[in-house]
Amino acid sequence: MDHKLVIPNHILLEEVATLLQEGRDVTLSPKGTSMLPFIKEGRDSVILRRLPDVEEGDIVLARLDNRYVLHRVLTANRNRLTLMGDGNLDITETCTKDDVLGTVIGVVRKDKSKKPSKGVLWKYLLPFRRILLGIYRRISL
């Protein structure tokens, strides 16, 4: 029988933040649909590492007030970042580089790790995301 330990996000992610701060890599199974179609709950895991800097196109785990998001850096202006999930159509968040706990250095699917792209093409397809995500959701049922 499989036993699954479910830990509330605020407890789990505080521990993840501590491990990343200590310089350790952390593998995490993300929740939600905000990073579709590139990262899917139940299919993919991400490998996080605390890097010295954050760049546009990076996928980051950030603490925003009392919640956490795994989103892509849309713009980076000095210390200010604008984040947006790949599966989002118009919702963005802003934070500072200090709010970033770690950067995705690998996406694990079927026991194979792949370095994530910077999402440049996906960024330019923003006006068409509603259509593309609608098609993706219909074919991946």
Side-chain angles (χ1 to χ4, degrees), residues 91-127:
I91 299 169
T92 61
E93 301 92 8
T94 57
C95 66
T96 67
K97 289 183 178 182
D98 292 337
D99 296 321
V100 172
L101 305 174
T103 301
V104 174
I105 60 164
V107 177
V108 180
R109 184 176 301 153
K110 296 183 181 175
D111 295 325
K112 292 184 181 176
S113 178
K114 182 179 175 187
K115 183 179 178 185
S117 74
K118 293 288 187 176
V120 175
L121 178 59
W122 192 244
K123 180 179 177 180
Y124 289 111
L125 289 173
L126 182 58

PDB file of all heavy atoms in Angstrom, residues 91-127:
ATOM      1  N   ILE A  91      -2.050  37.683 -15.667  1.00  0.00           N
ATOM      2  CA  ILE A  91      -1.749  37.938 -14.261  1.00  0.00           C
ATOM      3  C   ILE A  91      -0.231  37.954 -14.057  1.00  0.00           C
ATOM      4  O   ILE A  91       0.458  37.014 -14.437  1.00  0.00           O
ATOM      5  CB  ILE A  91      -2.382  36.871 -13.356  1.00  0.00           C
ATOM      6  CG1 ILE A  91      -3.898  36.895 -13.515  1.00  0.00           C
ATOM      7  CG2 ILE A  91      -1.979  37.081 -11.898  1.00  0.00           C
ATOM      8  CD1 ILE A  91      -4.591  35.715 -12.870  1.00  0.00           C
ATOM      9  N   THR A  92       0.252  39.045 -13.476  1.00  0.00           N
ATOM     10  CA  THR A  92       1.673  39.143 -13.148  1.00  0.00           C
ATOM     11  C   THR A  92       1.821  39.487 -11.671  1.00  0.00           C
ATOM     12  O   THR A  92       0.875  39.960 -11.033  1.00  0.00           O
ATOM     13  CB  THR A  92       2.386  40.228 -13.985  1.00  0.00           C
ATOM     14  OG1 THR A  92       1.801  41.496 -13.707  1.00  0.00           O
ATOM     15  CG2 THR A  92       2.320  39.924 -15.470  1.00  0.00           C
ATOM     16  N   GLU A  93       3.000  39.215 -11.148  1.00  0.00           N
ATOM     17  CA  GLU A  93       3.352  39.609  -9.781  1.00  0.00           C
ATOM     18  C   GLU A  93       4.675  40.349  -9.851  1.00  0.00           C
ATOM     19  O   GLU A  93       5.472  40.107 -10.748  1.00  0.00           O
ATOM     20  CB  GLU A  93       3.556  38.388  -8.868  1.00  0.00           C
ATOM     21  CG  GLU A  93       2.370  37.469  -8.742  1.00  0.00           C
ATOM     22  CD  GLU A  93       2.357  36.330  -9.746  1.00  0.00           C
ATOM     23  OE1 GLU A  93       3.347  36.137 -10.474  1.00  0.00           O
ATOM     24  OE2 GLU A  93       1.340  35.626  -9.809  1.00  0.00           O
ATOM     25  N   THR A  94       4.882  41.228  -8.903  1.00  0.00           N
ATOM     26  CA  THR A  94       6.181  41.890  -8.805  1.00  0.00           C
ATOM     27  C   THR A  94       6.809  41.538  -7.467  1.00  0.00           C
ATOM     28  O   THR A  94       6.117  41.302  -6.470  1.00  0.00           O
ATOM     29  CB  THR A  94       6.059  43.424  -8.934  1.00  0.00           C
ATOM     30  OG1 THR A  94       5.175  43.902  -7.926  1.00  0.00           O
ATOM     31  CG2 THR A  94       5.557  43.816 -10.311  1.00  0.00           C
ATOM     32  N   CYS A  95       8.130  41.474  -7.493  1.00  0.00           N
ATOM     33  CA  CYS A  95       8.881  41.181  -6.277  1.00  0.00           C
ATOM     34  C   CYS A  95      10.298  41.708  -6.463  1.00  0.00           C
ATOM     35  O   CYS A  95      10.626  42.285  -7.497  1.00  0.00           O
ATOM     36  CB  CYS A  95       8.885  39.674  -5.983  1.00  0.00           C
ATOM     37  SG  CYS A  95       9.763  38.666  -7.189  1.00  0.00           S
ATOM     38  N   THR A  96      11.114  41.500  -5.461  1.00  0.00           N
ATOM     39  CA  THR A  96      12.527  41.853  -5.562  1.00  0.00           C
ATOM     40  C   THR A  96      13.333  40.567  -5.713  1.00  0.00           C
ATOM     41  O   THR A  96      12.833  39.465  -5.461  1.00  0.00           O
ATOM     42  CB  THR A  96      13.014  42.610  -4.317  1.00  0.00           C
ATOM     43  OG1 THR A  96      12.981  41.717  -3.200  1.00  0.00           O
ATOM     44  CG2 THR A  96      12.157  43.833  -4.038  1.00  0.00           C
ATOM     45  N   LYS A  97      14.582  40.710  -6.077  1.00  0.00           N
ATOM     46  CA  LYS A  97      15.455  39.534  -6.193  1.00  0.00           C
ATOM     47  C   LYS A  97      15.611  38.838  -4.845  1.00  0.00           C
ATOM     48  O   LYS A  97      15.819  37.631  -4.796  1.00  0.00           O
ATOM     49  CB  LYS A  97      16.812  39.938  -6.773  1.00  0.00           C
ATOM     50  CG  LYS A  97      16.725  40.315  -8.237  1.00  0.00           C
ATOM     51  CD  LYS A  97      18.091  40.632  -8.818  1.00  0.00           C
ATOM     52  CE  LYS A  97      17.961  40.966 -10.304  1.00  0.00           C
ATOM     53  NZ  LYS A  97      19.262  41.229 -10.929  1.00  0.00           N
ATOM     54  N   ASP A  98      15.483  39.595  -3.765  1.00  0.00           N
ATOM     55  CA  ASP A  98      15.578  38.989  -2.428  1.00  0.00           C
ATOM     56  C   ASP A  98      14.407  38.060  -2.121  1.00  0.00           C
ATOM     57  O   ASP A  98      14.505  37.207  -1.246  1.00  0.00           O
ATOM     58  CB  ASP A  98      15.659  40.072  -1.346  1.00  0.00           C
ATOM     59  CG  ASP A  98      16.967  40.842  -1.398  1.00  0.00           C
ATOM     60  OD1 ASP A  98      17.965  40.305  -1.935  1.00  0.00           O
ATOM     61  OD2 ASP A  98      16.991  41.984  -0.909  1.00  0.00           O
ATOM     62  N   ASP A  99      13.290  38.222  -2.830  1.00  0.00           N
ATOM     63  CA  ASP A  99      12.119  37.362  -2.631  1.00  0.00           C
ATOM     64  C   ASP A  99      12.275  36.006  -3.312  1.00  0.00           C
ATOM     65  O   ASP A  99      11.490  35.093  -3.068  1.00  0.00           O
ATOM     66  CB  ASP A  99      10.856  38.041  -3.164  1.00  0.00           C
ATOM     67  CG  ASP A  99      10.519  39.317  -2.415  1.00  0.00           C
ATOM     68  OD1 ASP A  99      10.692  39.344  -1.180  1.00  0.00           O
ATOM     69  OD2 ASP A  99      10.085  40.291  -3.069  1.00  0.00           O
ATOM     70  N   VAL A 100      13.275  35.882  -4.186  1.00  0.00           N
ATOM     71  CA  VAL A 100      13.498  34.641  -4.920  1.00  0.00           C
ATOM     72  C   VAL A 100      14.252  33.661  -4.020  1.00  0.00           C
ATOM     73  O   VAL A 100      15.328  33.958  -3.518  1.00  0.00           O
ATOM     74  CB  VAL A 100      14.287  34.893  -6.224  1.00  0.00           C
ATOM     75  CG1 VAL A 100      14.676  33.579  -6.888  1.00  0.00           C
ATOM     76  CG2 VAL A 100      13.463  35.758  -7.171  1.00  0.00           C
ATOM     77  N   LEU A 101      13.632  32.500  -3.822  1.00  0.00           N
ATOM     78  CA  LEU A 101      14.242  31.465  -2.983  1.00  0.00           C
ATOM     79  C   LEU A 101      15.184  30.580  -3.786  1.00  0.00           C
ATOM     80  O   LEU A 101      16.209  30.124  -3.284  1.00  0.00           O
ATOM     81  CB  LEU A 101      13.162  30.607  -2.332  1.00  0.00           C
ATOM     82  CG  LEU A 101      12.122  31.374  -1.521  1.00  0.00           C
ATOM     83  CD1 LEU A 101      11.032  30.436  -1.045  1.00  0.00           C
ATOM     84  CD2 LEU A 101      12.787  32.081  -0.356  1.00  0.00           C
ATOM     85  N   GLY A 102      14.807  30.304  -5.041  1.00  0.00           N
ATOM     86  CA  GLY A 102      15.628  29.446  -5.888  1.00  0.00           C
ATOM     87  C   GLY A 102      15.191  29.534  -7.331  1.00  0.00           C
ATOM     88  O   GLY A 102      14.096  30.017  -7.643  1.00  0.00           O
ATOM     89  N   THR A 103      16.062  29.046  -8.206  1.00  0.00           N
ATOM     90  CA  THR A 103      15.828  29.049  -9.641  1.00  0.00           C
ATOM     91  C   THR A 103      15.760  27.613 -10.133  1.00  0.00           C
ATOM     92  O   THR A 103      16.540  26.767  -9.697  1.00  0.00           O
ATOM     93  CB  THR A 103      16.973  29.802 -10.361  1.00  0.00           C
ATOM     94  OG1 THR A 103      17.029  31.143  -9.864  1.00  0.00           O
ATOM     95  CG2 THR A 103      16.761  29.847 -11.866  1.00  0.00           C
ATOM     96  N   VAL A 104      14.842  27.343 -11.045  1.00  0.00           N
ATOM     97  CA  VAL A 104      14.727  26.003 -11.621  1.00  0.00           C
ATOM     98  C   VAL A 104      15.925  25.767 -12.538  1.00  0.00           C
ATOM     99  O   VAL A 104      16.125  26.498 -13.500  1.00  0.00           O
ATOM    100  CB  VAL A 104      13.400  25.836 -12.399  1.00  0.00           C
ATOM    101  CG1 VAL A 104      13.358  24.492 -13.112  1.00  0.00           C
ATOM    102  CG2 VAL A 104      12.210  25.982 -11.461  1.00  0.00           C
ATOM    103  N   ILE A 105      16.700  24.735 -12.208  1.00  0.00           N
ATOM    104  CA  ILE A 105      17.855  24.381 -13.044  1.00  0.00           C
ATOM    105  C   ILE A 105      17.581  23.107 -13.844  1.00  0.00           C
ATOM    106  O   ILE A 105      18.361  22.748 -14.722  1.00  0.00           O
ATOM    107  CB  ILE A 105      19.136  24.219 -12.208  1.00  0.00           C
ATOM    108  CG1 ILE A 105      18.964  23.117 -11.165  1.00  0.00           C
ATOM    109  CG2 ILE A 105      19.541  25.552 -11.588  1.00  0.00           C
ATOM    110  CD1 ILE A 105      20.270  22.624 -10.572  1.00  0.00           C
ATOM    111  N   GLY A 106      16.478  22.430 -13.531  1.00  0.00           N
ATOM    112  CA  GLY A 106      16.117  21.221 -14.260  1.00  0.00           C
ATOM    113  C   GLY A 106      14.653  20.895 -14.088  1.00  0.00           C
ATOM    114  O   GLY A 106      14.071  21.142 -13.032  1.00  0.00           O
ATOM    115  N   VAL A 107      14.056  20.364 -15.151  1.00  0.00           N
ATOM    116  CA  VAL A 107      12.686  19.853 -15.097  1.00  0.00           C
ATOM    117  C   VAL A 107      12.790  18.354 -15.303  1.00  0.00           C
ATOM    118  O   VAL A 107      13.359  17.896 -16.304  1.00  0.00           O
ATOM    119  CB  VAL A 107      11.789  20.497 -16.176  1.00  0.00           C
ATOM    120  CG1 VAL A 107      10.388  19.902 -16.142  1.00  0.00           C
ATOM    121  CG2 VAL A 107      11.720  22.013 -15.981  1.00  0.00           C
ATOM    122  N   VAL A 108      12.271  17.584 -14.351  1.00  0.00           N
ATOM    123  CA  VAL A 108      12.365  16.128 -14.403  1.00  0.00           C
ATOM    124  C   VAL A 108      11.036  15.569 -14.894  1.00  0.00           C
ATOM    125  O   VAL A 108       9.983  15.850 -14.318  1.00  0.00           O
ATOM    126  CB  VAL A 108      12.702  15.542 -13.014  1.00  0.00           C
ATOM    127  CG1 VAL A 108      12.803  14.023 -13.093  1.00  0.00           C
ATOM    128  CG2 VAL A 108      13.982  16.151 -12.459  1.00  0.00           C
ATOM    129  N   ARG A 109      11.138  14.785 -15.970  1.00  0.00           N
ATOM    130  CA  ARG A 109       9.969  14.115 -16.550  1.00  0.00           C
ATOM    131  C   ARG A 109      10.411  12.721 -16.964  1.00  0.00           C
ATOM    132  O   ARG A 109      11.408  12.578 -17.661  1.00  0.00           O
ATOM    133  CB  ARG A 109       9.470  14.900 -17.757  1.00  0.00           C
ATOM    134  CG  ARG A 109       8.203  14.347 -18.375  1.00  0.00           C
ATOM    135  CD  ARG A 109       7.700  15.217 -19.512  1.00  0.00           C
ATOM    136  NE  ARG A 109       7.442  16.570 -19.039  1.00  0.00           N
ATOM    137  CZ  ARG A 109       7.488  17.651 -19.804  1.00  0.00           C
ATOM    138  NH1 ARG A 109       7.769  17.533 -21.093  1.00  0.00           N
ATOM    139  NH2 ARG A 109       7.238  18.843 -19.306  1.00  0.00           N
ATOM    140  N   LYS A 110       9.673  11.737 -16.502  1.00  0.00           N
ATOM    141  CA  LYS A 110      10.000  10.336 -16.816  1.00  0.00           C
ATOM    142  C   LYS A 110      11.457  10.019 -16.461  1.00  0.00           C
ATOM    143  O   LYS A 110      12.195   9.450 -17.262  1.00  0.00           O
ATOM    144  CB  LYS A 110       9.724  10.031 -18.284  1.00  0.00           C
ATOM    145  CG  LYS A 110       8.265  10.144 -18.658  1.00  0.00           C
ATOM    146  CD  LYS A 110       8.029   9.771 -20.099  1.00  0.00           C
ATOM    147  CE  LYS A 110       6.562   9.926 -20.446  1.00  0.00           C
ATOM    148  NZ  LYS A 110       6.304   9.683 -21.855  1.00  0.00           N
ATOM    149  N   ASP A 111      11.878  10.444 -15.278  1.00  0.00           N
ATOM    150  CA  ASP A 111      13.218  10.178 -14.746  1.00  0.00           C
ATOM    151  C   ASP A 111      14.361  10.798 -15.545  1.00  0.00           C
ATOM    152  O   ASP A 111      15.507  10.412 -15.379  1.00  0.00           O
ATOM    153  CB  ASP A 111      13.456   8.668 -14.585  1.00  0.00           C
ATOM    154  CG  ASP A 111      12.524   8.066 -13.552  1.00  0.00           C
ATOM    155  OD1 ASP A 111      12.214   8.747 -12.554  1.00  0.00           O
ATOM    156  OD2 ASP A 111      12.095   6.917 -13.745  1.00  0.00           O
ATOM    157  N   LYS A 112      14.049  11.751 -16.431  1.00  0.00           N
ATOM    158  CA  LYS A 112      15.089  12.457 -17.176  1.00  0.00           C
ATOM    159  C   LYS A 112      14.995  13.940 -16.858  1.00  0.00           C
ATOM    160  O   LYS A 112      13.915  14.525 -16.875  1.00  0.00           O
ATOM    161  CB  LYS A 112      14.932  12.234 -18.676  1.00  0.00           C
ATOM    162  CG  LYS A 112      15.203  10.804 -19.089  1.00  0.00           C
ATOM    163  CD  LYS A 112      15.126  10.647 -20.582  1.00  0.00           C
ATOM    164  CE  LYS A 112      15.378   9.184 -20.934  1.00  0.00           C
ATOM    165  NZ  LYS A 112      15.232   8.931 -22.346  1.00  0.00           N
ATOM    166  N   SER A 113      16.148  14.533 -16.577  1.00  0.00           N
ATOM    167  CA  SER A 113      16.192  15.952 -16.254  1.00  0.00           C
ATOM    168  C   SER A 113      16.616  16.751 -17.484  1.00  0.00           C
ATOM    169  O   SER A 113      17.548  16.376 -18.188  1.00  0.00           O
ATOM    170  CB  SER A 113      17.175  16.202 -15.113  1.00  0.00           C
ATOM    171  OG  SER A 113      17.254  17.584 -14.835  1.00  0.00           O
ATOM    172  N   LYS A 114      15.911  17.844 -17.717  1.00  0.00           N
ATOM    173  CA  LYS A 114      16.207  18.714 -18.845  1.00  0.00           C
ATOM    174  C   LYS A 114      16.294  20.145 -18.350  1.00  0.00           C
ATOM    175  O   LYS A 114      15.463  20.587 -17.552  1.00  0.00           O
ATOM    176  CB  LYS A 114      15.097  18.582 -19.888  1.00  0.00           C
ATOM    177  CG  LYS A 114      15.310  19.403 -21.119  1.00  0.00           C
ATOM    178  CD  LYS A 114      14.159  19.188 -22.104  1.00  0.00           C
ATOM    179  CE  LYS A 114      14.323  20.122 -23.275  1.00  0.00           C
ATOM    180  NZ  LYS A 114      13.175  20.082 -24.162  1.00  0.00           N
ATOM    181  N   LYS A 115      17.306  20.871 -18.809  1.00  0.00           N
ATOM    182  CA  LYS A 115      17.443  22.280 -18.448  1.00  0.00           C
ATOM    183  C   LYS A 115      16.301  23.071 -19.085  1.00  0.00           C
ATOM    184  O   LYS A 115      16.019  22.909 -20.273  1.00  0.00           O
ATOM    185  CB  LYS A 115      18.792  22.805 -18.937  1.00  0.00           C
ATOM    186  CG  LYS A 115      19.053  24.233 -18.547  1.00  0.00           C
ATOM    187  CD  LYS A 115      20.410  24.699 -19.019  1.00  0.00           C
ATOM    188  CE  LYS A 115      20.585  26.155 -18.631  1.00  0.00           C
ATOM    189  NZ  LYS A 115      21.821  26.714 -19.152  1.00  0.00           N
ATOM    190  N   PRO A 116      15.611  23.910 -18.303  1.00  0.00           N
ATOM    191  CA  PRO A 116      14.496  24.673 -18.878  1.00  0.00           C
ATOM    192  C   PRO A 116      14.995  25.746 -19.835  1.00  0.00           C
ATOM    193  O   PRO A 116      16.074  26.306 -19.660  1.00  0.00           O
ATOM    194  CB  PRO A 116      13.827  25.299 -17.654  1.00  0.00           C
ATOM    195  CG  PRO A 116      14.893  25.360 -16.632  1.00  0.00           C
ATOM    196  CD  PRO A 116      15.824  24.212 -16.895  1.00  0.00           C
ATOM    197  N   SER A 117      14.175  26.018 -20.843  1.00  0.00           N
ATOM    198  CA  SER A 117      14.500  27.097 -21.776  1.00  0.00           C
ATOM    199  C   SER A 117      14.193  28.430 -21.098  1.00  0.00           C
ATOM    200  O   SER A 117      13.573  28.482 -20.038  1.00  0.00           O
ATOM    201  CB  SER A 117      13.677  26.955 -23.056  1.00  0.00           C
ATOM    202  OG  SER A 117      12.332  27.331 -22.808  1.00  0.00           O
ATOM    203  N   LYS A 118      14.582  29.498 -21.738  1.00  0.00           N
ATOM    204  CA  LYS A 118      14.290  30.843 -21.233  1.00  0.00           C
ATOM    205  C   LYS A 118      12.897  31.317 -21.643  1.00  0.00           C
ATOM    206  O   LYS A 118      12.467  32.394 -21.262  1.00  0.00           O
ATOM    207  CB  LYS A 118      15.342  31.844 -21.712  1.00  0.00           C
ATOM    208  CG  LYS A 118      16.723  31.614 -21.135  1.00  0.00           C
ATOM    209  CD  LYS A 118      16.773  31.991 -19.673  1.00  0.00           C
ATOM    210  CE  LYS A 118      18.204  31.924 -19.159  1.00  0.00           C
ATOM    211  NZ  LYS A 118      18.309  32.378 -17.784  1.00  0.00           N
ATOM    212  N   GLY A 119      12.181  30.526 -22.437  1.00  0.00           N
ATOM    213  CA  GLY A 119      10.798  30.850 -22.791  1.00  0.00           C
ATOM    214  C   GLY A 119      10.638  32.063 -23.682  1.00  0.00           C
ATOM    215  O   GLY A 119       9.590  32.702 -23.666  1.00  0.00           O
ATOM    216  N   VAL A 120      11.647  32.373 -24.499  1.00  0.00           N
ATOM    217  CA  VAL A 120      11.593  33.576 -25.332  1.00  0.00           C
ATOM    218  C   VAL A 120      10.435  33.506 -26.324  1.00  0.00           C
ATOM    219  O   VAL A 120       9.645  34.447 -26.440  1.00  0.00           O
ATOM    220  CB  VAL A 120      12.937  33.791 -26.075  1.00  0.00           C
ATOM    221  CG1 VAL A 120      12.858  34.961 -27.035  1.00  0.00           C
ATOM    222  CG2 VAL A 120      14.063  33.994 -25.071  1.00  0.00           C
ATOM    223  N   LEU A 121      10.306  32.385 -27.030  1.00  0.00           N
ATOM    224  CA  LEU A 121       9.222  32.257 -28.007  1.00  0.00           C
ATOM    225  C   LEU A 121       7.863  32.331 -27.313  1.00  0.00           C
ATOM    226  O   LEU A 121       6.947  33.016 -27.779  1.00  0.00           O
ATOM    227  CB  LEU A 121       9.351  30.936 -28.779  1.00  0.00           C
ATOM    228  CG  LEU A 121       8.250  30.658 -29.797  1.00  0.00           C
ATOM    229  CD1 LEU A 121       8.185  31.762 -30.855  1.00  0.00           C
ATOM    230  CD2 LEU A 121       8.466  29.299 -30.446  1.00  0.00           C
ATOM    231  N   TRP A 122       7.730  31.657 -26.165  1.00  0.00           N
ATOM    232  CA  TRP A 122       6.467  31.652 -25.432  1.00  0.00           C
ATOM    233  C   TRP A 122       6.096  33.075 -24.989  1.00  0.00           C
ATOM    234  O   TRP A 122       4.924  33.457 -24.995  1.00  0.00           O
ATOM    235  CB  TRP A 122       6.565  30.706 -24.243  1.00  0.00           C
ATOM    236  CG  TRP A 122       5.244  30.408 -23.591  1.00  0.00           C
ATOM    237  CD1 TRP A 122       4.882  30.729 -22.324  1.00  0.00           C
ATOM    238  CD2 TRP A 122       4.117  29.740 -24.149  1.00  0.00           C
ATOM    239  NE1 TRP A 122       3.602  30.308 -22.056  1.00  0.00           N
ATOM    240  CE2 TRP A 122       3.106  29.691 -23.174  1.00  0.00           C
ATOM    241  CE3 TRP A 122       3.860  29.176 -25.397  1.00  0.00           C
ATOM    242  CZ2 TRP A 122       1.864  29.108 -23.390  1.00  0.00           C
ATOM    243  CZ3 TRP A 122       2.621  28.590 -25.617  1.00  0.00           C
ATOM    244  CH2 TRP A 122       1.646  28.553 -24.610  1.00  0.00           C
ATOM    245  N   LYS A 123       7.097  33.873 -24.636  1.00  0.00           N
ATOM    246  CA  LYS A 123       6.847  35.265 -24.234  1.00  0.00           C
ATOM    247  C   LYS A 123       6.240  36.045 -25.404  1.00  0.00           C
ATOM    248  O   LYS A 123       5.292  36.811 -25.222  1.00  0.00           O
ATOM    249  CB  LYS A 123       8.162  35.909 -23.779  1.00  0.00           C
ATOM    250  CG  LYS A 123       8.039  37.348 -23.341  1.00  0.00           C
ATOM    251  CD  LYS A 123       9.386  37.885 -22.878  1.00  0.00           C
ATOM    252  CE  LYS A 123       9.318  39.338 -22.500  1.00  0.00           C
ATOM    253  NZ  LYS A 123      10.628  39.861 -22.044  1.00  0.00           N
ATOM    254  N   TYR A 124       6.771  35.829 -26.609  1.00  0.00           N
ATOM    255  CA  TYR A 124       6.249  36.545 -27.772  1.00  0.00           C
ATOM    256  C   TYR A 124       4.890  36.020 -28.221  1.00  0.00           C
ATOM    257  O   TYR A 124       4.157  36.710 -28.919  1.00  0.00           O
ATOM    258  CB  TYR A 124       7.258  36.509 -28.923  1.00  0.00           C
ATOM    259  CG  TYR A 124       8.450  37.384 -28.631  1.00  0.00           C
ATOM    260  CD1 TYR A 124       9.695  36.840 -28.401  1.00  0.00           C
ATOM    261  CD2 TYR A 124       8.309  38.765 -28.533  1.00  0.00           C
ATOM    262  CE1 TYR A 124      10.784  37.640 -28.098  1.00  0.00           C
ATOM    263  CE2 TYR A 124       9.393  39.589 -28.227  1.00  0.00           C
ATOM    264  CZ  TYR A 124      10.628  39.011 -28.015  1.00  0.00           C
ATOM    265  OH  TYR A 124      11.695  39.808 -27.707  1.00  0.00           O
ATOM    266  N   LEU A 125       4.547  34.798 -27.799  1.00  0.00           N
ATOM    267  CA  LEU A 125       3.245  34.226 -28.142  1.00  0.00           C
ATOM    268  C   LEU A 125       2.155  34.614 -27.131  1.00  0.00           C
ATOM    269  O   LEU A 125       1.041  34.102 -27.206  1.00  0.00           O
ATOM    270  CB  LEU A 125       3.350  32.696 -28.230  1.00  0.00           C
ATOM    271  CG  LEU A 125       4.123  32.166 -29.428  1.00  0.00           C
ATOM    272  CD1 LEU A 125       4.307  30.663 -29.325  1.00  0.00           C
ATOM    273  CD2 LEU A 125       3.449  32.546 -30.733  1.00  0.00           C
ATOM    274  N   LEU A 126       2.481  35.512 -26.214  1.00  0.00           N
ATOM    275  CA  LEU A 126       1.524  35.925 -25.187  1.00  0.00           C
ATOM    276  C   LEU A 126       0.153  36.296 -25.755  1.00  0.00           C
ATOM    277  O   LEU A 126      -0.867  35.860 -25.227  1.00  0.00           O
ATOM    278  CB  LEU A 126       2.094  37.065 -24.343  1.00  0.00           C
ATOM    279  CG  LEU A 126       1.223  37.570 -23.201  1.00  0.00           C
ATOM    280  CD1 LEU A 126       0.895  36.442 -22.223  1.00  0.00           C
ATOM    281  CD2 LEU A 126       1.914  38.712 -22.463  1.00  0.00           C
ATOM    282  N   PRO A 127       0.058  37.051 -26.853  1.00  0.00           N
ATOM    283  CA  PRO A 127      -1.273  37.384 -27.379  1.00  0.00           C
ATOM    284  C   PRO A 127      -2.072  36.157 -27.845  1.00  0.00           C
ATOM    285  O   PRO A 127      -3.291  36.220 -27.964  1.00  0.00           O
ATOM    286  CB  PRO A 127      -0.968  38.304 -28.572  1.00  0.00           C
ATOM    287  CG  PRO A 127       0.402  38.815 -28.347  1.00  0.00           C
ATOM    288  CD  PRO A 127       1.121  37.747 -27.586  1.00  0.00           C
TER     289      PRO A 127
END
